[in-house]
Amino acid sequence: MRRLLLYLILGIGLVVFAYPFVWMGIATFTPEAEIPELTLLPSRWTLDHYRLVFERLPVWRGLLNSLVVALAVTASVLVFTSMAAYALAKLHWRGRETVFSIILFTMMVPFLLLLIPLYTLVVRLGWTDSLLGLIVPFMMNATGVLILRQSFLTIPRDLIDAARIDGCGELRILFTIVWPLSVPALVTVGLLTFIGSWNEVLWPIIVVREVQWMTLPQLVALFAVGGGAEGQLGPQLAAAFLLALPIVLAYLFFQRYFIQSFATGGLKG
Amino acid sequence: MGRGIAGIRLEQVWKIYDNGYVAVADVTFEAAEGEFLVLLGPSGCGKTTLLRLVAGLETVSRGTIRIGDQVVNDVPPRDRDIAMVFQNYALYPHMTVYENMAFGLKLRRVPKAEIDRRVRAAARVLELEHLLDRRPHQLSGGQRQRVAVGRAIVREPRVFLFDEPLSNLDARLRVEMRAELARLHRELGRTMLYVTHDQVEAMTLGQRIVVLNQGRVQQIGTPLDVYHRPANRFVAGFIGNPPMNFIDGRLERLNGLRFVGEGGHVQVPLAEAEWPNIQPGQRVTLGVRPEAVIPTTPERATVQGPVETVEVLGAVAHLYVRVGQTTVVAQVDAAQCPAPEQTAYLHFDSTRIHLFDAETGQALLRLA
Ligand SMILES: Nc1ncnc2c1ncn2[C@@H]1O[C@H](COP(=O)(O)OP(=O)(O)OP(=O)(O)O)[C@@H](O)[C@H]1O
Ligand SMILES: [Mg+2]
């Protein structure tokens, strides 16, 4: 009886959270006229919306741009933040605490504040209308440093010293000893970074004007507000659905680590 | 690698940590080529710090460290040709036993076949052959300890450093591994620097012992040296179990020179010729080990008093006897020891007593 109640409550919760997403997925295959009815069972299935999206938007090119940007950003964030986190957690040097405070401080600076100086910089470097302009400003971030430092702190000092005696330099220690022991935290940082980069719309809109360098979210956003969809809901939803798909897939694939990392205090402190 | 054996020499080495704590003060000692040298001292006396200095994991604040003929102060750990066994083993959790042992060799670009030969040879010696594919978390404490030793052996370093490698093992395993390490030392013939706070380990393994306290060397000598001729009160009290009896008092001249302590409850005649540096009136501490306190007749007794406790350990028993305000421990034959509450009559074997200056704690010179 108790059990039943529990399942009922969980079931309601599931419906509340899942319904919008499920509806959206189904709506992309529903004829335009039926969409406002919020139905989950359309009278017939259609691919028209997707056809329109693929006709009007360079979806594949946008997908490729987005992937390149997100992967490059994620890879470099993993490398650079773990280097910083290692230095902060495991090496002793003058000014370490100060540097850490400064890094923490940068977390409090809103991105909007950085927008104009960053833009000026990118223009000066001639990186507008290029993927470089989308990648370089995000190659490092404070949150990643914080999460990884916290995880690295749990690695015993003797383990690292043993590797030093065995013949490792610091970089090799980081990548052959520390990394394999910090997989959940690395996955967390990787996913957060990837998702953040994937979803970024504002910055690409500012830096990129040529369609060939636009990312998928940028294309979708411009499509939805820019009238490319001719006010139709179906194509807009279809474009948004395409956008969300890779993220959902990535999450499903990595969620085991993701949850583990949060559960084992990857974000503590 | 493979450059054979080398000694270690520390000269006036200091280590002052960033927070100003002086962990090692003016330490000088030498481990000869192939010697098994034990660093012995209580917790926090700077043993690990010393070992880490030799390994290059900490930098010396002052002084020089030599391995072989080379001053290694500025040489990074990997170029010192040493191997270290850590107190908690520090095995790489994500590598198998085999990979743990092979790791250091791979980094040194030792050919695969040679790595395999050395790892298997070490595994055979340490009886790890059937465990080579396991990961550290699938091993018992004793097995992990052997892997840690194996990881050191395969490197064939000039010098082995051990930081309390047996302290996490149970008593039986500890005895076993002690014998194992002694055998390894005989077979490898390499210089070994071994840190422990356990005097039994120090006495059984060490060819010589460096006794440390509060970052300073107290005495360097063979196990029997430090046991029978402790340089000061600290060494005398630290080595031996149960510890040496200490009685504070002064030297007086009544019927010849004698030690009078514990408000006159303890009187020990001293042969003046044996003690060149003592004078009547001097305040001293008398030390006598439990095995030099011998039950005797009332007429010959140096001290007497009621028995407080008797600990029977099989063949021998420890007798705790109340003398004045203090307790004197005697190690006696279990078969003929008095019962609690009875009066015990004890004699201090005069050839085995020690005198320490009451102020400095230094042992007073004794001839013969
Ligand atoms: N990084 C450090 N910074 C400041 N003080 C330290 C540091 N490492 C050790 N110490 C201090 O130096 C002293 C000696 O430490 P060390 O670890 O060498 O002792 P030990 O003899 O190995 O003790 P144990 O038998 O408990 O292992 C201790 O009082 C310790 O608190
Ligand atoms: Mg220690």
Short mmCIF file of all heavy atoms in Angstrom, two decimals, chain B residues 258-297:
data_model
loop_
_atom_site.label_atom_id
_atom_site.label_comp_id
_atom_site.label_asym_id
_atom_site.label_seq_id
_atom_site.Cartn_x
_atom_site.Cartn_y
_atom_site.Cartn_z
N ARG B 258 78.65 6.51 47.31
CA ARG B 258 77.44 5.77 46.97
C ARG B 258 76.38 6.70 46.41
O ARG B 258 76.39 7.90 46.62
CB ARG B 258 76.91 4.99 48.16
CG ARG B 258 76.70 5.82 49.40
CD ARG B 258 76.07 4.97 50.49
NE ARG B 258 76.89 3.81 50.83
CZ ARG B 258 76.36 2.64 51.19
NH1 ARG B 258 75.06 2.48 51.21
NH2 ARG B 258 77.14 1.64 51.52
N PHE B 259 75.47 6.06 45.67
CA PHE B 259 74.31 6.77 45.15
C PHE B 259 73.20 6.68 46.17
O PHE B 259 72.87 5.61 46.67
CB PHE B 259 73.87 6.14 43.83
CG PHE B 259 72.55 6.67 43.33
CD1 PHE B 259 72.48 7.80 42.54
CD2 PHE B 259 71.36 6.04 43.68
CE1 PHE B 259 71.27 8.29 42.09
CE2 PHE B 259 70.14 6.52 43.25
CZ PHE B 259 70.10 7.65 42.45
N VAL B 260 72.61 7.83 46.51
CA VAL B 260 71.50 7.83 47.44
C VAL B 260 70.31 8.50 46.76
O VAL B 260 70.40 9.63 46.29
CB VAL B 260 71.84 8.59 48.73
CG1 VAL B 260 70.65 8.59 49.68
CG2 VAL B 260 73.06 7.98 49.39
N GLY B 261 69.22 7.75 46.67
CA GLY B 261 68.07 8.31 45.97
C GLY B 261 66.78 7.93 46.66
O GLY B 261 66.76 7.13 47.59
N GLU B 262 65.71 8.54 46.17
CA GLU B 262 64.38 8.22 46.65
C GLU B 262 64.31 8.35 48.17
O GLU B 262 63.84 7.45 48.87
CB GLU B 262 64.01 6.80 46.20
CG GLU B 262 62.54 6.57 45.92
CD GLU B 262 61.89 7.67 45.10
OE1 GLU B 262 62.42 8.01 44.04
OE2 GLU B 262 60.87 8.21 45.54
N GLY B 263 64.83 9.50 48.70
CA GLY B 263 64.78 9.76 50.14
C GLY B 263 65.49 8.71 50.97
O GLY B 263 65.06 8.39 52.07
N GLY B 264 66.54 8.14 50.40
CA GLY B 264 67.32 7.17 51.16
C GLY B 264 66.84 5.74 51.00
O GLY B 264 67.50 4.81 51.46
N HIS B 265 65.73 5.55 50.31
CA HIS B 265 65.25 4.18 50.09
C HIS B 265 66.17 3.38 49.18
O HIS B 265 66.17 2.16 49.21
CB HIS B 265 63.85 4.19 49.49
CG HIS B 265 62.77 4.54 50.46
ND1 HIS B 265 62.33 3.66 51.41
CD2 HIS B 265 62.07 5.68 50.65
CE1 HIS B 265 61.38 4.24 52.14
NE2 HIS B 265 61.22 5.48 51.69
N VAL B 266 66.87 4.11 48.31
CA VAL B 266 67.78 3.42 47.40
C VAL B 266 69.20 3.86 47.69
O VAL B 266 69.50 5.05 47.68
CB VAL B 266 67.45 3.76 45.93
CG1 VAL B 266 68.41 3.05 44.99
CG2 VAL B 266 66.01 3.42 45.62
N GLN B 267 70.05 2.91 48.03
CA GLN B 267 71.46 3.22 48.26
C GLN B 267 72.28 2.22 47.48
O GLN B 267 72.14 1.01 47.66
CB GLN B 267 71.79 3.12 49.74
CG GLN B 267 70.99 4.11 50.57
CD GLN B 267 71.75 4.59 51.78
OE1 GLN B 267 72.92 4.23 51.97
NE2 GLN B 267 71.09 5.39 52.60
N VAL B 268 73.13 2.74 46.59
CA VAL B 268 73.95 1.85 45.77
C VAL B 268 75.40 2.25 45.90
O VAL B 268 75.77 3.36 45.53
CB VAL B 268 73.53 1.93 44.29
CG1 VAL B 268 74.31 0.93 43.46
CG2 VAL B 268 72.04 1.72 44.14
N PRO B 269 76.24 1.35 46.42
CA PRO B 269 77.67 1.67 46.49
C PRO B 269 78.28 1.68 45.11
O PRO B 269 77.88 0.91 44.24
CB PRO B 269 78.23 0.54 47.35
CG PRO B 269 77.19 -0.50 47.42
CD PRO B 269 75.90 0.03 46.93
N LEU B 270 79.22 2.62 44.88
CA LEU B 270 79.85 2.72 43.57
C LEU B 270 81.34 2.53 43.71
O LEU B 270 81.96 3.05 44.64
CB LEU B 270 79.58 4.10 42.97
CG LEU B 270 78.12 4.46 42.72
CD1 LEU B 270 77.98 5.94 42.38
CD2 LEU B 270 77.55 3.60 41.60
N ALA B 271 81.95 1.78 42.79
CA ALA B 271 83.40 1.63 42.78
C ALA B 271 83.99 2.88 42.16
O ALA B 271 83.82 3.14 40.97
CB ALA B 271 83.79 0.39 41.99
N GLU B 272 84.66 3.70 43.00
CA GLU B 272 85.09 5.02 42.55
C GLU B 272 86.02 4.96 41.34
O GLU B 272 85.99 5.83 40.48
CB GLU B 272 85.82 5.73 43.69
CG GLU B 272 85.23 7.09 43.93
CD GLU B 272 85.69 7.66 45.26
OE1 GLU B 272 85.60 6.94 46.29
OE2 GLU B 272 86.15 8.79 45.26
N ALA B 273 86.80 3.89 41.26
CA ALA B 273 87.76 3.78 40.17
C ALA B 273 87.07 3.66 38.82
O ALA B 273 87.62 4.06 37.79
CB ALA B 273 88.65 2.56 40.40
N GLU B 274 85.87 3.14 38.82
CA GLU B 274 85.17 2.94 37.55
C GLU B 274 84.55 4.21 37.00
O GLU B 274 84.20 4.29 35.83
CB GLU B 274 84.05 1.91 37.73
CG GLU B 274 84.54 0.49 37.82
CD GLU B 274 83.39 -0.49 37.99
OE1 GLU B 274 82.23 -0.10 37.73
OE2 GLU B 274 83.65 -1.63 38.40
N TRP B 275 84.34 5.18 37.83
CA TRP B 275 83.61 6.39 37.42
C TRP B 275 84.52 7.60 37.54
O TRP B 275 84.51 8.30 38.55
CB TRP B 275 82.38 6.58 38.29
CG TRP B 275 81.41 5.43 38.25
CD1 TRP B 275 81.38 4.38 39.11
CD2 TRP B 275 80.37 5.23 37.32
NE1 TRP B 275 80.37 3.52 38.77
CE2 TRP B 275 79.72 4.03 37.66
CE3 TRP B 275 79.91 5.96 36.21
CZ2 TRP B 275 78.65 3.53 36.94
CZ3 TRP B 275 78.83 5.46 35.52
CH2 TRP B 275 78.21 4.25 35.87
N PRO B 276 85.30 7.91 36.52
CA PRO B 276 86.30 8.97 36.64
C PRO B 276 85.69 10.36 36.79
O PRO B 276 86.34 11.26 37.31
CB PRO B 276 87.07 8.85 35.32
CG PRO B 276 86.16 8.17 34.38
CD PRO B 276 85.31 7.26 35.21
N ASN B 277 84.47 10.57 36.35
CA ASN B 277 83.95 11.94 36.26
C ASN B 277 82.91 12.28 37.32
O ASN B 277 82.10 13.17 37.12
CB ASN B 277 83.33 12.19 34.89
CG ASN B 277 84.38 12.16 33.80
OD1 ASN B 277 85.58 12.27 34.09
ND2 ASN B 277 83.95 11.98 32.57
N ILE B 278 82.91 11.57 38.43
CA ILE B 278 81.86 11.89 39.40
C ILE B 278 82.46 12.47 40.68
O ILE B 278 83.60 12.20 41.03
CB ILE B 278 81.01 10.65 39.74
CG1 ILE B 278 81.87 9.54 40.35
CG2 ILE B 278 80.27 10.15 38.52
CD1 ILE B 278 81.07 8.34 40.80
N GLN B 279 81.66 13.31 41.33
CA GLN B 279 82.09 13.90 42.58
C GLN B 279 80.97 13.78 43.60
O GLN B 279 79.80 13.78 43.24
CB GLN B 279 82.35 15.40 42.40
CG GLN B 279 83.57 15.74 41.61
CD GLN B 279 83.23 16.71 40.50
OE1 GLN B 279 82.29 17.50 40.64
NE2 GLN B 279 83.97 16.64 39.42
N PRO B 280 81.34 13.70 44.85
CA PRO B 280 80.32 13.69 45.90
C PRO B 280 79.49 14.96 45.82
O PRO B 280 80.01 16.02 45.48
CB PRO B 280 81.13 13.66 47.20
CG PRO B 280 82.50 13.21 46.81
CD PRO B 280 82.71 13.57 45.40
N GLY B 281 78.21 14.85 46.10
CA GLY B 281 77.34 16.02 46.06
C GLY B 281 76.68 16.22 44.71
O GLY B 281 75.71 16.95 44.59
N GLN B 282 77.20 15.56 43.68
CA GLN B 282 76.66 15.72 42.34
C GLN B 282 75.25 15.13 42.24
O GLN B 282 74.98 14.06 42.78
CB GLN B 282 77.59 14.99 41.37
CG GLN B 282 77.34 15.29 39.92
CD GLN B 282 78.37 14.57 39.04
OE1 GLN B 282 79.33 13.96 39.53
NE2 GLN B 282 78.17 14.65 37.74
N ARG B 283 74.36 15.85 41.55
CA ARG B 283 73.01 15.31 41.35
C ARG B 283 72.99 14.47 40.08
O ARG B 283 73.41 14.93 39.02
CB ARG B 283 71.99 16.44 41.27
CG ARG B 283 71.78 17.10 42.64
CD ARG B 283 70.70 18.18 42.62
NE ARG B 283 69.53 17.76 41.88
CZ ARG B 283 69.09 18.36 40.77
NH1 ARG B 283 69.74 19.40 40.30
NH2 ARG B 283 68.01 17.92 40.16
N VAL B 284 72.54 13.24 40.21
CA VAL B 284 72.55 12.33 39.07
C VAL B 284 71.25 11.52 39.03
O VAL B 284 70.47 11.52 39.97
CB VAL B 284 73.74 11.33 39.13
CG1 VAL B 284 75.07 12.03 39.06
CG2 VAL B 284 73.63 10.47 40.37
N THR B 285 71.05 10.85 37.87
CA THR B 285 69.97 9.88 37.76
C THR B 285 70.60 8.51 37.59
O THR B 285 71.51 8.35 36.76
CB THR B 285 69.08 10.19 36.55
OG1 THR B 285 68.57 11.52 36.69
CG2 THR B 285 67.93 9.21 36.45
N LEU B 286 70.15 7.56 38.39
CA LEU B 286 70.67 6.22 38.23
C LEU B 286 69.72 5.43 37.33
O LEU B 286 68.50 5.54 37.45
CB LEU B 286 70.76 5.55 39.60
CG LEU B 286 71.24 4.09 39.62
CD1 LEU B 286 72.19 3.85 40.77
CD2 LEU B 286 70.05 3.13 39.72
N GLY B 287 70.29 4.68 36.40
CA GLY B 287 69.46 3.86 35.52
C GLY B 287 69.85 2.41 35.63
O GLY B 287 71.05 2.10 35.67
N VAL B 288 68.87 1.55 35.69
CA VAL B 288 69.18 0.12 35.74
C VAL B 288 68.06 -0.63 35.01
O VAL B 288 66.88 -0.37 35.22
CB VAL B 288 69.36 -0.36 37.20
CG1 VAL B 288 68.11 -0.10 38.04
CG2 VAL B 288 69.74 -1.83 37.25
N ARG B 289 68.46 -1.50 34.11
CA ARG B 289 67.45 -2.23 33.33
C ARG B 289 66.80 -3.30 34.19
O ARG B 289 67.42 -3.84 35.12
CB ARG B 289 68.10 -2.89 32.11
CG ARG B 289 68.59 -1.91 31.10
CD ARG B 289 68.69 -2.50 29.71
NE ARG B 289 69.24 -1.52 28.78
CZ ARG B 289 68.52 -0.58 28.18
NH1 ARG B 289 67.22 -0.52 28.42
NH2 ARG B 289 69.08 0.28 27.37
N PRO B 290 65.57 -3.65 33.88
CA PRO B 290 64.84 -4.64 34.69
C PRO B 290 65.61 -5.95 34.85
O PRO B 290 65.56 -6.57 35.91
CB PRO B 290 63.54 -4.83 33.91
CG PRO B 290 63.32 -3.54 33.23
CD PRO B 290 64.70 -3.03 32.87
N GLU B 291 66.34 -6.34 33.80
CA GLU B 291 67.03 -7.63 33.94
C GLU B 291 68.27 -7.53 34.81
O GLU B 291 68.86 -8.55 35.16
CB GLU B 291 67.38 -8.21 32.57
CG GLU B 291 68.45 -7.46 31.80
CD GLU B 291 67.85 -6.47 30.82
OE1 GLU B 291 66.71 -6.01 31.06
OE2 GLU B 291 68.53 -6.16 29.82
N ALA B 292 68.68 -6.30 35.19
CA ALA B 292 69.82 -6.14 36.10
C ALA B 292 69.34 -5.92 37.53
O ALA B 292 70.11 -5.59 38.42
CB ALA B 292 70.70 -4.99 35.65
N VAL B 293 68.03 -6.04 37.72
CA VAL B 293 67.45 -5.96 39.06
C VAL B 293 67.13 -7.38 39.49
O VAL B 293 66.29 -8.04 38.88
CB VAL B 293 66.17 -5.10 39.06
CG1 VAL B 293 65.57 -5.04 40.46
CG2 VAL B 293 66.46 -3.71 38.54
N ILE B 294 67.85 -7.86 40.51
CA ILE B 294 67.84 -9.29 40.80
C ILE B 294 67.29 -9.56 42.20
O ILE B 294 67.70 -8.90 43.16
CB ILE B 294 69.28 -9.85 40.69
CG1 ILE B 294 69.80 -9.60 39.26
CG2 ILE B 294 69.34 -11.33 41.03
CD1 ILE B 294 71.28 -9.52 39.17
N PRO B 295 66.34 -10.49 42.32
CA PRO B 295 65.82 -10.85 43.65
C PRO B 295 66.95 -11.41 44.51
O PRO B 295 67.81 -12.14 44.02
CB PRO B 295 64.78 -11.92 43.36
CG PRO B 295 64.50 -11.84 41.90
CD PRO B 295 65.73 -11.29 41.26
N THR B 296 66.94 -11.07 45.78
CA THR B 296 68.03 -11.52 46.62
C THR B 296 67.54 -11.65 48.06
O THR B 296 66.34 -11.56 48.34
CB THR B 296 69.20 -10.51 46.52
OG1 THR B 296 70.28 -10.99 47.32
CG2 THR B 296 68.79 -9.14 47.00
N THR B 297 68.47 -11.87 48.98
CA THR B 297 68.12 -12.02 50.40
C THR B 297 68.00 -10.64 51.04
O THR B 297 68.55 -9.66 50.51
CB THR B 297 69.22 -12.80 51.12
OG1 THR B 297 70.46 -12.10 50.91
CG2 THR B 297 69.34 -14.20 50.57
#
